[in-house]
Amino acid sequence: SRTFSQFKGGVIMTLYEITNALLATAKKVPNINYVGTGDIYELNDKPNINYGVFYITQMNHTQGENTIDYTLTLFYVDRVLNDGSNKLAIQSNGITTIGNIINLFLNTYDNVEIRYDIQYTTFLQKFVDDCSGVFANVTFTVDNNIGICGDTF
């Protein structure tokens, strides 16, 4: 595991930057056709959504003396067939997809760490369509440089 002093450039990432970087990363994954943030139930307002969906909702965020933790819920959602035969395949694919997004993100942004272990929760949910998927609460930790002033401006 890296220590924060090993981060390249000591560049802080804000909640905004982490969220946008995760969305950009998810767009690179072949089975993701829609990305978004906000309340997951906003998917009900999108009748022509192109599944699979990667969606981010916010949880609690914590600022410590040396680090800031941003906890986000990452969702993978896909449409269930009429006979329900693909529910388990969607959930399995969702775990793999979220894991791939996290790994690609961490390989791209070395100034962010996450807290392991990640717990995945599967679900069945009626949005506009009958859907299945998985979500995980993931805590992203960054160096806390807020309020630190250098010698020069």
Side-chain angles (χ1 to χ4, degrees):
S1 176
R2 296 173 298 207
T3 62
F4 288 100
S5 62
Q6 294 172 317
F7 287 156
K8 290 182 183 174
V11 177
I12 189 170
M13 284 192 82
T14 64
L15 173 63
Y16 178 82
E17 292 167 330
I18 288 173
T19 300
N20 285 329
L22 280 166
L23 295 174
T25 301
K27 288 178 183 178
K28 297 176 184 177
V29 176
N31 60 324
I32 298 297
N33 297 308
Y34 181 85
V35 299
T37 64
D39 186 334
I40 188 67
Y41 294 103
E42 291 173 358
L43 292 179
N44 285 318
D45 298 331
K46 302 182 184 329
N48 298 316
I49 199 158
N50 189 11
Y51 296 99
V53 171
F54 178 75
Y55 216 78
I56 301 172
T57 62
Q58 293 188 46
M59 301 295 287
N60 295 321
H61 313 302
T62 306
Q63 181 176 343
E65 184 177 344
N66 297 312
T67 60
I68 300 173
D69 292 338
Y70 300 108
T71 302
L72 304 172
T73 303
L74 309 181
F75 286 87
Y76 175 81
V77 182
D78 206 343
R79 192 175 68 78
V80 174
L81 296 174
N82 289 338
D83 66 1
S85 62
N86 65 335
K87 288 185 280 193
L88 182 58
I90 290 170
Q91 293 166 347
S92 178
N93 189 41
I95 292 169
T96 301
T97 299
I98 290 174
N100 286 342
I101 292 167
I102 291 168
N103 289 335
L104 182 57
F105 176 85
L106 290 175
N107 286 331
T108 305
Y109 301 95
D110 62 356
N111 56 333
V112 181
E113 288 190 349
I114 64 166
R115 294 223 179 137
Y116 288 99
D117 294 331
I118 298 172
Q119 179 177 331
Y120 295 92
T121 303
T122 59
F123 64 87
L124 295 171
Q125 180 67 45
K126 173 73 173 163
F127 293 108
V128 171
D129 301 298
D130 289 325
C131 293
S132 183
V134 64
F135 66 89
N137 294 327
V138 181
T139 299
F140 296 86
T141 302
V142 298
D143 204 7
N144 180 6
N145 292 330
I146 294 176
I148 296 176
C149 297
D151 292 336
T152 60
F153 291 93

